Amino acid sequence: MIIYKTDEEIELMQISALLVSSALTEVAKVLKTGMTTMQIDRLIGEFIADHKAIPSFLNYNGFPFNSCISVNDVVVHGFPNDVPLKDGDLVSVDVGVFKNGFHGDHAYTFLLGEITPEVLKLVRVTKESLYEGIKYATVGRRIGDISNAIQVHAEKEGYGVVRELVGHGLGSAMHEDPQLPNYGRKGSGMLLKENLVLAIEPMINMGTRDIYTDEDGWTIRTDDGLPSVHFEHDVCIKKGQALVLSDYTPIEAAEKANANLNTSYY
């Protein structure tokens, strides 16, 4: 069932989305080599609690953490752990919050220290592919227009576009209809109407698009062990131009100010 939101509900959803953006900004301020992803997860949990919200991911289908933190070849759903992060790591942080009856859910990939040009390019192209998809998140377009824009931008560079994991509708439930693949055919899929909210989230691999799930039942890795990058925005369908409910601006400012993070792919 497709659930369209009222303008008042969109305003509440933006509060949740921006709270996720603020949590990711806090991560960007402090992330450095030697930290553990468990420390990051605790920071996120405390930040969400301080803002009188609930972590959307905690206990979702049994997921035991506040956030998904995926390092290097982990595509998504990475378990926070006590392994210190090291120079050259890619760290994708995916956060969800539930506040005022609605979820916010988006992700950002950070780069620690010295990063090879090949990986920098992967990060840049994945982030670009997200915005290519958002261009088509407007009234009168179709789901396949968003999917195709993401796929074309990534695959023209030879990257693998993950098939098994998709973006999704967002609202009072964290996962609503419709599903939003990161690959597809122009003009296919449902017609986009005003005030549908989508979590658009390219998951792009440096090599093969193939993935597998670890024994923990959650952590998803690239089949060839090469890096994967994940970016995600919460987007409301509007006439002419999409309304992006989440905001990367403070995250980007914080990571640029953090000498431990590499932003040279910009």
Side-chain angles (χ1 to χ4, degrees):
M1 183 174 67
I2 306 298
I3 303 173
Y4 300 95
K5 279 68 182 179
T6 66
D7 288 342
E8 292 76 16
E9 288 172 333
I10 296 298
E11 290 178 8
L12 293 175
M13 289 199 69
Q14 186 154 39
I15 292 170
S16 297
L18 292 176
L19 183 54
V20 175
S21 304
S22 295
L24 291 168
T25 300
E26 293 304 304
V27 174
K29 290 177 182 177
V30 301
L31 189 60
K32 62 181 180 179
T33 57
M35 284 188 77
T36 69
T37 52
M38 191 68 79
Q39 287 175 306
I40 299 168
D41 186 70
R42 282 197 292 267
L43 180 154
I44 291 167
E46 291 167 3
F47 182 86
I48 293 172
D50 287 346
H51 288 79
K52 297 179 172 55
I54 298 169
S56 300
F57 300 170
L58 184 62
N59 298 320
Y60 180 81
N61 291 337
F63 188 81
F65 301 101
N66 300 299
S67 59
C68 300
I69 305 180
S70 305
V71 180
N72 297 332
D73 67 323
V74 178
V75 181
V76 286
H77 303 164
F79 273 21
N81 59 48
D82 292 317
V83 178
L85 293 166
K86 62 185 185 303
D87 192 71
D89 279 344
L90 293 183
V91 186
S92 171
V93 184
D94 192 354
V95 177
V97 304
F98 184 72
K99 187 177 177 70
N100 299 323
F102 292 97
H103 291 272
D105 170 22
H106 57 280
Y108 198 92
T109 297
F110 300 98
L111 294 73
L112 280 171
E114 291 297 316
I115 305 291
T116 67
E118 293 79 11
V119 174
L120 289 171
K121 181 181 177 183
L122 173 65
V123 176
R124 175 178 56 79
V125 171
T126 303
K127 198 175 189 182
E128 288 172 350
S129 74
L130 170 60
Y131 288 102
E132 288 298 312
I134 290 172
K135 288 179 185 178
Y136 293 88
T138 57
V139 172
R141 294 286 188 176
R142 292 187 177 271
I143 284 285
D145 296 331
I146 301 174
S147 303
N148 180 261
I150 293 169
Q151 179 184 11
V152 168
H153 194 74
E155 287 188 346
K156 73 181 180 183
E157 301 296 342
Y159 298 138
V161 178
V162 174
R163 299 296 203 265
E164 296 87 346
L165 304 161
V166 296
H168 52 89
L170 187 69
S172 58
M174 187 165 60
H175 293 103
E176 296 183 353
D177 290 333
Q179 292 193 344
L180 174 58
N182 293 306
Y183 68 99
R185 187 168 45 85
K186 270 186 180 179
S188 66
M190 65 167 280
L191 188 68
L192 300 175
K193 297 180 182 180
E194 192 160 18
N195 284 11
L196 173 67
V197 178
L198 298 170
I200 303 177
E201 50 178 323
M203 291 156 272
I204 308 299
N205 300 343
M206 178 173 280
T208 180
R209 72 188 192 199
D210 297 331
I211 58 175
Y212 71 94
T213 305
D214 270 357
E215 292 179 1
D216 61 27
W218 283 96
T219 304
I220 296 175
R221 296 181 183 271
T222 59
D223 217 30
D224 55 11
L226 293 178
S228 183
V229 175
H230 179 212
F231 284 98
E232 180 180 15
H233 261 314
D234 299 339
V235 179
C236 181
I237 305 298
K238 291 290 185 182
K239 294 176 183 176
Q241 183 175 346
L243 171 62
V244 181
L245 302 177
S246 41
D247 188 3
Y248 279 175
T249 306
I251 304 170
E252 292 167 341
E255 69 172 342
K256 287 176 182 176
N258 182 345
N260 301 289
L261 298 180
N262 190 323
T263 60
S264 60
Y265 71 90
Y266 281 26

